[in-house]
Amino acid sequence: MKTKIKLTVLSVVCLCVLSGCANTSGKELSRDTLYQVSTISSLLAGNYDGFQSFGELKEHGDVGIGTFNALDGELVMIDNTVYKVKSTGAVEEASDTDTTPFAAVTYFDDDATQELTAAANLAVLEQELDKLIQNKDLFYIFKVDGTFKTIKTRSVPIQEKPYPVLSEAVKEQSVFDYTNITGTLVGLWCPEYIGGVNVPGYHLHFISEDRTKGGHLLDVSFDQAQVSADATDGFVMTLSPITPEGSVKDLDSEIDAVEK
């Protein structure tokens, strides 16, 4: 049973010089490590300049979520491939040379798999996922596969400098409604103590089976689906070299404004 978070914060210089070194002791990262680019508080404050390439990101995981340089779309990584869901609704595979200002990835290893019965909305799904969280001090990565009755997602258009804070940027979001669509929800659950590092609780993105539709999940319903969960007790973060021009006064309110 995993019981303790192992935390490492890497500077960008360390990552560049040591070519993705695992930690300060030089050992390789455990597969049970969540690797994160920057912090949610930095993103909320308008820090959208990408600084880590997806080629580098893929060295630390094969599944995850995030965003793109200048906030140009929603990021879904699955099977070590990064997809960009643009504000037009189009989905394209990201180049290894493209960059991200914020992302969280890991190597996905099933710790538990369960069949899910009908869920009328996202709140019901989250209640079902709660049952798989055995230790609230750990991170959990989820993959939910199925044919969904309804899916509601969003994506935000590319931003121009001077960047607005994220709660302003999402006011321009495009919302997509899909019905009877087969695909995968890729999601992250973070402990409450994570604060401004990431979003406490659930953060889920969607990608269709044919990789043509997706986005940040706003709501979902289904008759049945299968969920796989990966509990993760390691955490490594590389910090952005850029200081955002904006500021966040009420972290919880800002997170609510951009997540829901």
Side-chain angles (χ1 to χ4, degrees), residues 3 9 12 15 20 25-27 37 43 45 50 63 74 88 93 123 125 129 142 147 153 176 182 197 200 211 249:
T3 58
V9 178
V12 176
L15 282 178
S25 67
K27 297 179 181 178
V37 177
L43 191 74
V63 65
E74 302 289 342
T88 61
E93 187 174 332
L125 171 60
L129 298 183
F142 292 98
T147 297
T153 64
F176 312 109
T182 302
V197 174
R211 308 304 191 236
K249 295 181 180 179

Side-chain angles (χ1 to χ4, degrees), residues 100-206:
T100 179
F102 179 78
V105 303
T106 191
Y107 289 104
F108 193 86
D109 299 308
D110 290 1
D111 289 329
T113 299
Q114 182 174 309
E115 296 296 326
L116 300 177
T117 55
N121 52 49
L122 178 57
V124 175
L125 171 60
E126 291 180 352
Q127 290 170 9
E128 291 301 309
L129 298 183
D130 284 345
K131 298 175 183 178
L132 295 173
I133 297 175
Q134 297 182 358
N135 185 336
K136 291 188 176 181
D137 289 332
L138 304 183
F139 297 92
Y140 284 79
I141 311 299
F142 292 98
K143 290 198 296 185
V144 182
D145 296 294
T147 297
F148 302 95
K149 292 173 63 177
T150 62
I151 285 274
K152 177 177 284 188
T153 64
R154 71 104 190 275
S155 186
V156 180
I158 190 170
Q159 302 296 300
E160 296 182 358
K161 293 184 177 182
Y163 294 137
V165 295
L166 190 55
S167 59
E168 290 298 317
V170 297
K171 292 179 179 179
E172 303 175 11
Q173 70 185 14
S174 300
V175 176
F176 312 109
D177 289 290
Y178 304 115
T179 58
N180 299 319
I181 184 169
T182 302
T184 303
L185 301 175
V186 174
L188 172 64
W189 183 91
C190 293
E192 285 297 324
Y193 64 74
I194 206 66
V197 174
N198 207 313
V199 178
Y202 293 99
H203 184 173
L204 296 146
H205 287 189
F206 173 72

Side-chain angles (χ1 to χ4, degrees), residues 34-40 102-105 197-198 235-238:
L34 184 71
Y35 177 83
Q36 184 169 305
V37 177
S38 192
T39 65
I40 190 62
F102 179 78
V105 303
V197 174
N198 207 313
F235 182 79
V236 171
M237 178 171 61
T238 179

